[in-house]
PDB file of all heavy atoms in Angstrom:
ATOM      1  N   VAL A 173      17.906  61.149  -3.926  1.00 75.00           N
ATOM      2  CA  VAL A 173      18.244  62.526  -3.562  1.00 75.00           C
ATOM      3  C   VAL A 173      17.087  63.460  -3.873  1.00 75.00           C
ATOM      4  O   VAL A 173      16.741  64.343  -3.072  1.00 75.00           O
ATOM      5  CB  VAL A 173      19.522  62.965  -4.309  1.00 75.00           C
ATOM      6  CG1 VAL A 173      19.755  64.463  -4.126  1.00 75.00           C
ATOM      7  CG2 VAL A 173      20.725  62.176  -3.809  1.00 75.00           C
ATOM      8  N   ILE A 174      16.475  63.279  -5.049  1.00 79.00           N
ATOM      9  CA  ILE A 174      15.346  64.136  -5.426  1.00 79.00           C
ATOM     10  C   ILE A 174      14.190  63.966  -4.450  1.00 79.00           C
ATOM     11  O   ILE A 174      13.584  64.948  -3.999  1.00 79.00           O
ATOM     12  CB  ILE A 174      14.887  63.797  -6.858  1.00 79.00           C
ATOM     13  CG1 ILE A 174      15.977  64.181  -7.862  1.00 79.00           C
ATOM     14  CG2 ILE A 174      13.591  64.525  -7.192  1.00 79.00           C
ATOM     15  CD1 ILE A 174      15.677  63.750  -9.277  1.00 79.00           C
ATOM     16  N   ALA A 175      13.898  62.715  -4.076  1.00 71.00           N
ATOM     17  CA  ALA A 175      12.818  62.465  -3.116  1.00 71.00           C
ATOM     18  C   ALA A 175      13.131  63.088  -1.761  1.00 71.00           C
ATOM     19  O   ALA A 175      12.249  63.649  -1.095  1.00 71.00           O
ATOM     20  CB  ALA A 175      12.597  60.964  -2.971  1.00 71.00           C
ATOM     21  N   GLY A 176      14.393  63.001  -1.347  1.00 67.00           N
ATOM     22  CA  GLY A 176      14.780  63.583  -0.070  1.00 67.00           C
ATOM     23  C   GLY A 176      14.657  65.095  -0.064  1.00 67.00           C
ATOM     24  O   GLY A 176      14.167  65.698   0.892  1.00 67.00           O
ATOM     25  N   LEU A 177      15.103  65.735  -1.154  1.00 71.00           N
ATOM     26  CA  LEU A 177      15.021  67.196  -1.234  1.00 71.00           C
ATOM     27  C   LEU A 177      13.592  67.678  -1.343  1.00 71.00           C
ATOM     28  O   LEU A 177      13.237  68.749  -0.834  1.00 71.00           O
ATOM     29  CB  LEU A 177      15.830  67.697  -2.440  1.00 71.00           C
ATOM     30  CG  LEU A 177      17.349  67.491  -2.373  1.00 71.00           C
ATOM     31  CD1 LEU A 177      18.000  67.955  -3.659  1.00 71.00           C
ATOM     32  CD2 LEU A 177      17.934  68.236  -1.183  1.00 71.00           C
ATOM     33  N   ALA A 178      12.733  66.865  -2.019  1.00 68.00           N
ATOM     34  CA  ALA A 178      11.338  67.272  -2.199  1.00 68.00           C
ATOM     35  C   ALA A 178      10.476  66.937  -0.993  1.00 68.00           C
ATOM     36  O   ALA A 178       9.295  67.319  -0.936  1.00 68.00           O
ATOM     37  CB  ALA A 178      10.766  66.597  -3.441  1.00 68.00           C
ATOM     38  N   GLY A 179      11.046  66.194  -0.033  1.00 60.00           N
ATOM     39  CA  GLY A 179      10.283  65.827   1.151  1.00 60.00           C
ATOM     40  C   GLY A 179       9.267  64.739   0.904  1.00 60.00           C
ATOM     41  O   GLY A 179       8.307  64.581   1.664  1.00 60.00           O
ATOM     42  N   VAL A 180       9.458  63.965  -0.181  1.00 55.00           N
ATOM     43  CA  VAL A 180       8.539  62.879  -0.506  1.00 55.00           C
ATOM     44  C   VAL A 180       9.075  61.603   0.104  1.00 55.00           C
ATOM     45  O   VAL A 180      10.235  61.244  -0.091  1.00 55.00           O
ATOM     46  CB  VAL A 180       8.403  62.714  -2.034  1.00 55.00           C
ATOM     47  CG1 VAL A 180       7.468  61.545  -2.361  1.00 55.00           C
ATOM     48  CG2 VAL A 180       7.895  64.005  -2.656  1.00 55.00           C
ATOM     49  N   GLY A 181       8.255  60.888   0.835  1.00 53.00           N
ATOM     50  CA  GLY A 181       8.741  59.642   1.425  1.00 53.00           C
ATOM     51  C   GLY A 181       7.782  59.088   2.446  1.00 53.00           C
ATOM     52  O   GLY A 181       6.692  59.636   2.687  1.00 53.00           O
ATOM     53  N   SER A 182       8.156  57.982   3.066  1.00 52.00           N
ATOM     54  CA  SER A 182       7.316  57.297   4.038  1.00 52.00           C
ATOM     55  C   SER A 182       7.710  57.729   5.449  1.00 52.00           C
ATOM     56  O   SER A 182       8.552  58.610   5.651  1.00 52.00           O
ATOM     57  CB  SER A 182       7.473  55.783   3.876  1.00 52.00           C
ATOM     58  OG  SER A 182       7.251  55.399   2.532  1.00 52.00           O
ATOM     59  N   SER A 183       7.132  57.079   6.406  1.00 53.00           N
ATOM     60  CA  SER A 183       7.495  57.329   7.802  1.00 53.00           C
ATOM     61  C   SER A 183       8.919  56.856   8.040  1.00 53.00           C
ATOM     62  O   SER A 183       9.447  56.040   7.268  1.00 53.00           O
ATOM     63  CB  SER A 183       6.538  56.567   8.728  1.00 53.00           C
ATOM     64  OG  SER A 183       6.663  55.178   8.514  1.00 53.00           O
ATOM     65  N   PRO A 184       9.590  57.345   9.071  1.00 52.00           N
ATOM     66  CA  PRO A 184      10.994  56.955   9.305  1.00 52.00           C
ATOM     67  C   PRO A 184      11.211  55.454   9.368  1.00 52.00           C
ATOM     68  O   PRO A 184      12.186  54.937   8.819  1.00 52.00           O
ATOM     69  CB  PRO A 184      11.310  57.635  10.644  1.00 52.00           C
ATOM     70  CG  PRO A 184      10.395  58.814  10.696  1.00 52.00           C
ATOM     71  CD  PRO A 184       9.131  58.373  10.017  1.00 52.00           C
ATOM     72  N   GLY A 185      10.299  54.713  10.037  1.00 54.00           N
ATOM     73  CA  GLY A 185      10.472  53.264  10.116  1.00 54.00           C
ATOM     74  C   GLY A 185      10.366  52.599   8.758  1.00 54.00           C
ATOM     75  O   GLY A 185      11.169  51.728   8.406  1.00 54.00           O
ATOM     76  N   ASP A 186       9.359  52.997   7.984  1.00 58.00           N
ATOM     77  CA  ASP A 186       9.202  52.430   6.637  1.00 58.00           C
ATOM     78  C   ASP A 186      10.372  52.807   5.742  1.00 58.00           C
ATOM     79  O   ASP A 186      10.806  52.013   4.906  1.00 58.00           O
ATOM     80  CB  ASP A 186       7.891  52.919   6.013  1.00 58.00           C
ATOM     81  CG  ASP A 186       6.660  52.349   6.710  1.00 58.00           C
ATOM     82  OD1 ASP A 186       6.814  51.302   7.367  1.00 58.00           O
ATOM     83  OD2 ASP A 186       5.582  52.961   6.609  1.00 58.00           O
ATOM     84  N   GLU A 187      10.878  54.028   5.923  1.00 58.00           N
ATOM     85  CA  GLU A 187      12.001  54.472   5.093  1.00 58.00           C
ATOM     86  C   GLU A 187      13.242  53.637   5.379  1.00 58.00           C
ATOM     87  O   GLU A 187      13.970  53.253   4.451  1.00 58.00           O
ATOM     88  CB  GLU A 187      12.294  55.951   5.355  1.00 58.00           C
ATOM     89  CG  GLU A 187      13.369  56.517   4.443  1.00 58.00           C
ATOM     90  CD  GLU A 187      13.582  57.996   4.660  1.00 58.00           C
ATOM     91  OE1 GLU A 187      13.165  58.512   5.713  1.00 58.00           O
ATOM     92  OE2 GLU A 187      14.163  58.638   3.772  1.00 58.00           O
ATOM     93  N   LEU A 188      13.491  53.332   6.657  1.00 61.00           N
ATOM     94  CA  LEU A 188      14.644  52.507   6.999  1.00 61.00           C
ATOM     95  C   LEU A 188      14.527  51.110   6.395  1.00 61.00           C
ATOM     96  O   LEU A 188      15.493  50.557   5.870  1.00 61.00           O
ATOM     97  CB  LEU A 188      14.786  52.405   8.515  1.00 61.00           C
ATOM     98  CG  LEU A 188      15.383  53.623   9.225  1.00 61.00           C
ATOM     99  CD1 LEU A 188      15.390  53.396  10.720  1.00 61.00           C
ATOM    100  CD2 LEU A 188      16.785  53.893   8.718  1.00 61.00           C
ATOM    101  N   ARG A 189      13.321  50.529   6.463  1.00 66.00           N
ATOM    102  CA  ARG A 189      13.129  49.212   5.870  1.00 66.00           C
ATOM    103  C   ARG A 189      13.343  49.251   4.360  1.00 66.00           C
ATOM    104  O   ARG A 189      13.923  48.333   3.776  1.00 66.00           O
ATOM    105  CB  ARG A 189      11.728  48.695   6.212  1.00 66.00           C
ATOM    106  CG  ARG A 189      11.599  48.151   7.628  1.00 66.00           C
ATOM    107  CD  ARG A 189      10.287  47.432   7.825  1.00 66.00           C
ATOM    108  NE  ARG A 189       9.162  48.361   7.772  1.00 66.00           N
ATOM    109  CZ  ARG A 189       8.694  49.023   8.827  1.00 66.00           C
ATOM    110  NH1 ARG A 189       9.275  48.873  10.011  1.00 66.00           N
ATOM    111  NH2 ARG A 189       7.657  49.826   8.708  1.00 66.00           N
ATOM    112  N   MET A 190      12.858  50.319   3.729  1.00 68.00           N
ATOM    113  CA  MET A 190      13.041  50.456   2.288  1.00 68.00           C
ATOM    114  C   MET A 190      14.519  50.597   1.930  1.00 68.00           C
ATOM    115  O   MET A 190      15.006  49.975   0.969  1.00 68.00           O
ATOM    116  CB  MET A 190      12.275  51.681   1.771  1.00 68.00           C
ATOM    117  CG  MET A 190      12.414  51.904   0.266  1.00 68.00           C
ATOM    118  SD  MET A 190      11.750  53.487  -0.251  1.00 68.00           S
ATOM    119  CE  MET A 190      12.921  54.620   0.495  1.00 68.00           C
ATOM    120  N   LEU A 191      15.259  51.362   2.721  1.00 64.00           N
ATOM    121  CA  LEU A 191      16.682  51.539   2.459  1.00 64.00           C
ATOM    122  C   LEU A 191      17.431  50.217   2.602  1.00 64.00           C
ATOM    123  O   LEU A 191      18.317  49.900   1.808  1.00 64.00           O
ATOM    124  CB  LEU A 191      17.262  52.589   3.420  1.00 64.00           C
ATOM    125  CG  LEU A 191      16.791  54.028   3.218  1.00 64.00           C
ATOM    126  CD1 LEU A 191      17.360  54.931   4.304  1.00 64.00           C
ATOM    127  CD2 LEU A 191      17.180  54.553   1.839  1.00 64.00           C
ATOM    128  N   ARG A 192      17.072  49.444   3.630  1.00 66.00           N
ATOM    129  CA  ARG A 192      17.722  48.150   3.816  1.00 66.00           C
ATOM    130  C   ARG A 192      17.398  47.194   2.673  1.00 66.00           C
ATOM    131  O   ARG A 192      18.256  46.451   2.200  1.00 66.00           O
ATOM    132  CB  ARG A 192      17.304  47.538   5.169  1.00 66.00           C
ATOM    133  CG  ARG A 192      17.923  48.220   6.361  1.00 66.00           C
ATOM    134  CD  ARG A 192      17.811  47.346   7.594  1.00 66.00           C
ATOM    135  NE  ARG A 192      16.418  47.157   7.983  1.00 66.00           N
ATOM    136  CZ  ARG A 192      15.776  47.904   8.872  1.00 66.00           C
ATOM    137  NH1 ARG A 192      16.413  48.920   9.450  1.00 66.00           N
ATOM    138  NH2 ARG A 192      14.524  47.651   9.191  1.00 66.00           N
ATOM    139  N   ASP A 193      16.140  47.233   2.208  1.00 70.00           N
ATOM    140  CA  ASP A 193      15.748  46.371   1.081  1.00 70.00           C
ATOM    141  C   ASP A 193      16.512  46.754  -0.188  1.00 70.00           C
ATOM    142  O   ASP A 193      16.970  45.889  -0.931  1.00 70.00           O
ATOM    143  CB  ASP A 193      14.244  46.469   0.832  1.00 70.00           C
ATOM    144  CG  ASP A 193      13.429  45.806   1.938  1.00 70.00           C
ATOM    145  OD1 ASP A 193      14.027  45.014   2.696  1.00 70.00           O
ATOM    146  OD2 ASP A 193      12.221  46.109   2.052  1.00 70.00           O
ATOM    147  N   ILE A 194      16.635  48.046  -0.435  1.00 72.00           N
ATOM    148  CA  ILE A 194      17.372  48.511  -1.611  1.00 72.00           C
ATOM    149  C   ILE A 194      18.827  48.063  -1.541  1.00 72.00           C
ATOM    150  O   ILE A 194      19.407  47.596  -2.527  1.00 72.00           O
ATOM    151  CB  ILE A 194      17.287  50.047  -1.732  1.00 72.00           C
ATOM    152  CG1 ILE A 194      15.866  50.466  -2.122  1.00 72.00           C
ATOM    153  CG2 ILE A 194      18.291  50.572  -2.763  1.00 72.00           C
ATOM    154  CD1 ILE A 194      15.668  51.962  -2.151  1.00 72.00           C
ATOM    155  N   ASN A 195      19.407  48.172  -0.357  1.00 69.00           N
ATOM    156  CA  ASN A 195      20.799  47.759  -0.184  1.00 69.00           C
ATOM    157  C   ASN A 195      20.961  46.259  -0.427  1.00 69.00           C
ATOM    158  O   ASN A 195      21.919  45.811  -1.076  1.00 69.00           O
ATOM    159  CB  ASN A 195      21.263  48.107   1.231  1.00 69.00           C
ATOM    160  CG  ASN A 195      22.620  48.786   1.236  1.00 69.00           C
ATOM    161  OD1 ASN A 195      23.070  49.275   0.204  1.00 69.00           O
ATOM    162  ND2 ASN A 195      23.260  48.821   2.378  1.00 69.00           N
ATOM    163  N   GLY A 196      20.023  45.466   0.101  1.00 73.00           N
ATOM    164  CA  GLY A 196      20.107  44.018  -0.083  1.00 73.00           C
ATOM    165  C   GLY A 196      19.953  43.607  -1.530  1.00 73.00           C
ATOM    166  O   GLY A 196      20.738  42.804  -2.055  1.00 73.00           O
ATOM    167  N   VAL A 197      18.934  44.159  -2.202  1.00 79.00           N
ATOM    168  CA  VAL A 197      18.741  43.845  -3.617  1.00 79.00           C
ATOM    169  C   VAL A 197      19.921  44.345  -4.436  1.00 79.00           C
ATOM    170  O   VAL A 197      20.386  43.680  -5.372  1.00 79.00           O
ATOM    171  CB  VAL A 197      17.425  44.470  -4.121  1.00 79.00           C
ATOM    172  CG1 VAL A 197      17.306  44.316  -5.637  1.00 79.00           C
ATOM    173  CG2 VAL A 197      16.234  43.827  -3.445  1.00 79.00           C
ATOM    174  N   GLY A 198      20.436  45.516  -4.064  1.00 79.00           N
ATOM    175  CA  GLY A 198      21.561  46.087  -4.815  1.00 79.00           C
ATOM    176  C   GLY A 198      22.794  45.213  -4.773  1.00 79.00           C
ATOM    177  O   GLY A 198      23.438  44.988  -5.802  1.00 79.00           O
ATOM    178  N   ILE A 199      23.143  44.680  -3.599  1.00 83.00           N
ATOM    179  CA  ILE A 199      24.347  43.845  -3.519  1.00 83.00           C
ATOM    180  C   ILE A 199      24.130  42.514  -4.224  1.00 83.00           C
ATOM    181  O   ILE A 199      25.060  41.940  -4.797  1.00 83.00           O
ATOM    182  CB  ILE A 199      24.782  43.628  -2.047  1.00 83.00           C
ATOM    183  CG1 ILE A 199      26.190  43.028  -1.990  1.00 83.00           C
ATOM    184  CG2 ILE A 199      23.797  42.744  -1.315  1.00 83.00           C
ATOM    185  CD1 ILE A 199      27.253  43.878  -2.630  1.00 83.00           C
ATOM    186  N   LEU A 200      22.885  41.995  -4.227  1.00 84.00           N
ATOM    187  CA  LEU A 200      22.603  40.765  -4.970  1.00 84.00           C
ATOM    188  C   LEU A 200      22.855  40.966  -6.460  1.00 84.00           C
ATOM    189  O   LEU A 200      23.558  40.182  -7.105  1.00 84.00           O
ATOM    190  CB  LEU A 200      21.153  40.328  -4.738  1.00 84.00           C
ATOM    191  CG  LEU A 200      20.837  39.582  -3.442  1.00 84.00           C
ATOM    192  CD1 LEU A 200      19.347  39.335  -3.323  1.00 84.00           C
ATOM    193  CD2 LEU A 200      21.577  38.260  -3.408  1.00 84.00           C
ATOM    194  N   LEU A 201      22.269  42.026  -7.021  1.00 88.00           N
ATOM    195  CA  LEU A 201      22.420  42.278  -8.456  1.00 88.00           C
ATOM    196  C   LEU A 201      23.861  42.625  -8.806  1.00 88.00           C
ATOM    197  O   LEU A 201      24.417  42.112  -9.779  1.00 88.00           O
ATOM    198  CB  LEU A 201      21.478  43.409  -8.879  1.00 88.00           C
ATOM    199  CG  LEU A 201      19.980  43.114  -8.793  1.00 88.00           C
ATOM    200  CD1 LEU A 201      19.169  44.361  -9.142  1.00 88.00           C
ATOM    201  CD2 LEU A 201      19.612  41.974  -9.723  1.00 88.00           C
ATOM    202  N   THR A 202      24.457  43.510  -7.998  1.00 89.00           N
ATOM    203  CA  THR A 202      25.813  43.963  -8.323  1.00 89.00           C
ATOM    204  C   THR A 202      26.821  42.827  -8.218  1.00 89.00           C
ATOM    205  O   THR A 202      27.712  42.695  -9.066  1.00 89.00           O
ATOM    206  CB  THR A 202      26.226  45.111  -7.379  1.00 89.00           C
ATOM    207  OG1 THR A 202      25.276  46.166  -7.481  1.00 89.00           O
ATOM    208  CG2 THR A 202      27.599  45.645  -7.763  1.00 89.00           C
TER     209      THR A 202
END
Side-chain angles (χ1 to χ4, degrees):
V173 171
I174 293 174
L177 294 177
V180 178
S182 307
S183 63
D186 292 338
E187 185 176 18
L188 283 177
R189 282 190 292 272
M190 180 190 68
L191 292 176
R192 287 197 295 266
D193 290 343
I194 290 175
N195 227 17
V197 172
I199 192 60
L200 280 175
L201 294 176
T202 303

